[in-house]
Amino acid sequence: MKRWGLAIILPPLLSFVLVMGLAEILLRQLQVPEYLLPAPSAVFAAAAEYWRELAGSLLTTLWATCLGFAASAILGLLLAVLLSTSLWVQRAVYPYMIFFQTVPIIAIAPLLVIWLGPGLPAVALAAFIVSIFPVIANSLGGLLSTDPALVDLFRLYGAGRLATLWKLKLPSALPNILTGLRIAAGLAVVGTIVGEFVASVLGENPGLGVLILIAKRQGRTDLLFAAVLAASLLGLILFALVNGLSRLLLRHWTPAR
């Protein structure tokens, strides 16, 4: 177990240290102004100085992200099941689902503020809008790719639609569903940050998006990079959690099954 953990953590950690070290050397040698591109040491110093603010903002963004991601996972899977039941339903509804993927969230965010007001609901809804389409598309693809011979076998033995869905289609589509959740986990963070740019409010613990805007206005490029690094860390944590769930659910899964 320890070897497996090291094999997962060590390679990206070593590459991160190597890239940061090279960036530090290059930026110092080229004498790049800190207000344009701060050295990694300056970013980490800012993170250490403002760690309380970063931690509070991270928790605020995490809460909104989790709400949006959970809603997209549940509703996205339900919609995929609905779309898989009928070709007519797919043709009638699926084009509207693509709306969530094609319209930039930055264009919708002001409307969310008008409808819901600034704050958590609008930010969580922005995360939901950005992250739901990968769940629908991947889940629907998995449900529709169920082996027709197995579907006919279930029908031959008198299995109803619900039994076929629960015992055949959903287990067969599980890898696709989890792939959609992996993609949605990262996109939910993006949607939350964009939502915070427009819809969040100042408070004791503003989100990372608000902190990024504050650092920009103050000309604190080092703090801005520290906030971006915290947002990236949040995305990695969510992706790792979904990946762990995938390993747990698929440990006995094989393509043949």
Side-chain angles (χ1 to χ4, degrees), residues 45 51 82 139:
W51 70 269
L82 175 64
S139 301

Side-chain angles (χ1 to χ4, degrees), residues 31-190:
Q31 297 181 347
V32 178
E34 189 169 305
Y35 69 88
L36 286 179
L37 188 60
S41 58
V43 175
F44 293 136
E49 181 180 355
Y50 294 97
W51 70 269
R52 287 187 178 87
E53 290 82 356
L54 285 168
S57 297
L58 181 64
L59 290 176
T60 300
T61 302
L62 174 63
W63 177 233
T65 302
C66 288
L67 286 177
F69 175 64
S72 68
I74 296 171
L75 189 58
L77 182 56
L78 291 176
L79 285 172
V81 171
L82 175 64
L83 292 172
S84 68
T85 58
S86 168
L87 182 60
W88 187 89
V89 174
Q90 291 178 44
R91 291 174 177 173
V93 178
Y94 195 71
Y96 297 100
M97 299 296 102
I98 301 175
F99 168 82
F100 293 106
Q101 183 72 10
T102 56
V103 177
I105 187 61
I106 194 66
I108 305 176
L111 289 174
L112 303 182
V113 178
I114 294 173
W115 293 335
L116 301 176
L120 177 63
V123 175
L125 184 56
F128 166 78
I129 290 173
V130 171
S131 59
I132 189 173
F133 183 77
V135 180
I136 296 174
N138 284 275
S139 301
L140 179 61
L143 290 169
L144 294 178
S145 63
T146 305
D147 190 346
L150 293 177
V151 175
D152 291 338
L153 182 63
F154 269 63
R155 189 180 297 114
L156 179 65
Y157 280 95
R161 284 192 173 187
L162 186 60
T164 303
L165 173 67
W166 184 252
K167 296 183 179 181
L168 175 62
K169 291 187 176 182
L170 282 176
S172 299
L174 193 57
N176 299 69
I177 295 171
L178 292 169
T179 297
L181 292 178
R182 288 192 194 97
I183 300 171
L187 290 177
V189 178
V190 176

Side-chain angles (χ1 to χ4, degrees), residues 226-241:
V228 171
L229 191 63
S232 301
L233 179 62
L234 175 58
L236 287 173
I237 291 172
L238 287 178
F239 183 87
L241 290 175

